[in-house]
Amino acid sequence: MMTILDCVVDKHNIWLVVVAAIVCAAGSWAIICLFERASRTTGMQRAGWHFLTAVAAGAAIWCTHFIAMLAYQPGAPVSFDPLMTIISLLVAIVGAGSGFLLAASGTRRHAPALGGAMVGMAIAVMHYTGMMAYRVQGIITWDKAYLLASIVLSVGLSAAAVHVALRRSMRLSRSVSAAVLFLAIVSLHFTGMTAFRVTPLLVDNSFSNPAAMQALALAVAIVALVIVGAGLASYMIDDSARTESLDQLRHMALNDSLTGLPNRASFADRLDHEIDIAKETNSKVALIGIDLDRFKEVNDLRGHGVGDMLLRSLGKRLMELSREGEFVARTGGDEFTAIQRYVDQAQLEDFLARLKAALFEPVKVLDLEITPGASLGVALYPDNAATQESLINNADLAMYRAKADLAHHVCYYDQSMDDVVRARRCLVNDLRAAIDNNQLAVHYQVQTSVSTTQIRGFEALLRWNHPEHGFIPPSQFIPLAEENGLIVQLGEWVLRQACADAASWTPPYKVAVNLSPAQFAHADLHKLIIEVLMSTGLAANRLELELTESTIFQDKERSFSVLRQIKALGVNIALDDFGTGYSSLEMLRSFPFDKIKLDRSFINEAEDSLQAKSIIRAVLTLGKSLEIPILAEGIETEGQLSLLGEEGCDEAQGFLLGRPIPIGMLVESGRISLNAEAASGQGPRVKTSIRSEPGDGETPVTLSA
């Protein structure tokens, strides 16, 4: 009668026990790693990781058992039943896989322990199925106490291992879980083998071939390690891919995709960090707002592709110039923000000099050489602000001051800037009240024929007489209206008021109304014009809408489509400020404008500048060749008017011919009179003709109002 204690592994097979232990340890670690990954994923990924877990578990458990069995020398010939050996492997894979699947399901509170117990039972069933495949020439008996103990150990330790594996809050849970699973497999095998007793039947002296058994054990170990290694490799590749993906997502979240510079989120974190350090070290933080000059012009004239290349080049320069304690981020389309923590003012001056050099040095883009330039606004912590928000706001104020001051590219914040901002905000609020309380007025400036001096029409100009501050020039409140979203409301009010006034005029002169870019971009502009003409009773051919070149150039295809819709109503279209914008001849060829308004800047220099006079002559010649009337703005002297007459200009407008005045003064001057309906206060009741221009290919439409 022999037990495993009697038949101790001899010195030739100790290394097989070591190999079995290595396979079991590596397998246990791989099993727990794969199982953890399976428990954290969903869908098809979860199924894939569970499959790898089951294969790794089956291979590790079965191979550990098989190698240890080959190391065991019962003192009698040994062989293995192939069918039962294969069944034992399948039992290990399917049983362990089912247990891990149950443990990760989370269907019950005790699912991890139940699933782990199922894994332990699979280890036991695999072991004893494998023992059924073990053929030895001897009498086999079992010690039931050891047999039962092996099963209890396997089930209990496996349940504990899986339970610990899912306790992610526990430190070293993976290592502890793998160690406990290793003990579950090893204790099952050796306790089970203690229950296994063999009494050899020595029929002859033939024994199993030890060398062949060792070679087979080594082959099984290699296959097991390959399988386990494949599982671990899958885990590590996925882990690496996840890490790379997280790094990439983190980089995308914190960096600008175009320039590679830190973005607004990174900037906010860095500014907080620098302010904290400045508090601790008694140093200062300079926040520098940077806005590129003429970048919109680059995009409009050269295309957004060139604009992007320019930004990339500038981003690379700004990234390279940064030193320790310095930081540059892209925080908007053409806006950058720099941070420097410093002690000495000379450090800040040096940083600003390097920023200016990077921003003003020409950039080679394709075959173009572009000099970008920029406006820089500087605010200091703690001198100018105590919080991040106020520091950013003050840097913006300084930057806008720099943008308005053409002589200086760098502007430091001072308290007076806040006073200006408060005054502007008050003015915006007053402007809203002026719209609601009818404090605005429309004045009209006469447009006359240069050759006959006859009146051709009037331009409607918005005026604001503030109840406290008196007359506020349009150059001051119109930009405020544009910045604060009031310009569309103002534009509609002017259009409606001008059309209502003009409908009452005798003779029926034209009225010219300016359209702002925001108003022109409005989707319902065409419907608004129809509604205004119908409600006021003004004939469509008496309304002239003026647009600047830059307004049209922003989106030429859409602009021309909208203009054709408006022109189809019979409304006249004038190109305003000609010569100051893009002055594209293609624009004049693409759309039949009813009038071109020559900008006043050329008229102001006409008497003294040969170049200005040549430009005026060229524009007038262009107008004649295209059969488009030319109106010259800003006529203030007899010499200017005489020059225009000599050059054949069609119409003129300016202080020499008449200043903008309200409708009452127009009547008093005798230039117009009001029709009977307007004089009686009954308002216009006329038929308004809204028609297509000849050649548009559209049928004239007549609507009554």
Side-chain angles (χ1 to χ4, degrees), residues 167-218:
R167 292 282 299 275
R168 300 188 181 100
S169 59
M170 180 178 172
R171 294 184 61 188
L172 303 176
S173 60
R174 183 182 299 170
S175 300
V176 173
S177 178
V180 175
L181 183 61
F182 172 81
L183 290 175
I185 298 171
V186 170
S187 64
L188 178 283
H189 177 79
F190 287 104
T191 306
M193 290 305 297
T194 302
F196 179 70
R197 302 181 181 185
V198 178
T199 302
L201 297 175
L202 298 178
V203 178
D204 53 38
N205 293 325
S206 62
F207 292 93
S208 304
N209 187 340
M213 290 294 186
Q214 292 173 6
L216 180 60
L218 183 60

Side-chain angles (χ1 to χ4, degrees), residues 242-263:
R242 285 169 178 262
T243 301
E244 290 177 5
S245 297
L246 288 173
D247 290 342
Q248 185 177 5
L249 289 173
R250 187 180 296 107
H251 184 273
M252 290 173 63
L254 298 177
N255 291 80
D256 173 54
S257 60
L258 180 64
T259 63
L261 288 170
N263 59 14

Side-chain angles (χ1 to χ4, degrees), residues 2-14:
M2 299 178 64
T3 69
I4 195 168
L5 297 176
D6 300 321
C7 303
V8 178
V9 178
D10 65 32
K11 62 181 179 180
H12 297 293
N13 294 321
I14 291 177

Side-chain angles (χ1 to χ4, degrees), residues 66-81:
F66 200 92
I67 296 168
M69 285 299 299
L70 291 175
Y72 175 63
Q73 296 295 324
V78 175
S79 63
F80 292 90
D81 183 295

Side-chain angles (χ1 to χ4, degrees), residues 580-600:
T580 60
Y582 303 97
S583 301
S584 171
L585 297 181
E586 174 66 20
M587 186 184 300
L588 297 177
R589 189 187 69 82
S590 301
F591 186 80
F593 291 97
D594 298 292
K595 186 183 291 181
I596 294 174
K597 298 189 72 174
L598 183 61
D599 188 69
R600 67 179 67 246

Side-chain angles (χ1 to χ4, degrees), residues 523-538:
D524 294 330
L525 177 62
H526 176 255
K527 295 179 182 178
L528 173 65
I529 293 171
I530 293 176
E531 190 272 323
V532 168
L533 292 175
M534 292 178 64
S535 63
T536 61
L538 182 70

Side-chain angles (χ1 to χ4, degrees), residues 204-337:
D204 53 38
N205 293 325
S206 62
F207 292 93
S208 304
N209 187 340
M213 290 294 186
Q214 292 173 6
L216 180 60
L218 183 60
V220 171
I222 292 172
V223 172
L225 290 174
V226 167
I227 295 173
V228 170
L232 278 174
S234 299
Y235 174 83
M236 289 187 291
I237 290 171
D238 181 73
D239 206 43
S240 176
R242 285 169 178 262
T243 301
E244 290 177 5
S245 297
L246 288 173
D247 290 342
Q248 185 177 5
L249 289 173
R250 187 180 296 107
H251 184 273
M252 290 173 63
L254 298 177
N255 291 80
D256 173 54
S257 60
L258 180 64
T259 63
L261 288 170
N263 59 14
R264 184 177 291 277
S266 294
F267 155 72
D269 290 341
R270 181 60 178 261
L271 183 57
D272 274 338
H273 176 68
E274 295 295 341
I275 289 176
D276 289 341
I277 294 178
K279 291 177 182 177
E280 296 173 0
T281 60
N282 199 29
S283 56
K284 294 184 178 182
V285 175
L287 181 63
I288 306 161
I290 304 169
D291 189 76
L292 298 183
D293 297 336
R294 301 180 298 279
F295 181 72
K296 185 177 184 299
E297 182 179 324
V298 172
N299 272 342
D300 290 342
L301 292 178
R302 306 298 183 183
H304 289 275
V306 172
D308 288 348
M309 285 187 276
L310 174 61
L311 289 174
R312 274 194 290 267
S313 298
L314 291 176
K316 184 178 180 182
R317 286 184 185 177
L318 295 172
M319 194 181 300
E320 291 173 349
L321 68 81
S322 299
R323 300 173 184 173
E324 185 179 356
E326 299 172 353
F327 179 85
V328 182
R330 183 187 179 205
T331 52
D334 61 345
E335 296 178 2
F336 299 85
T337 306

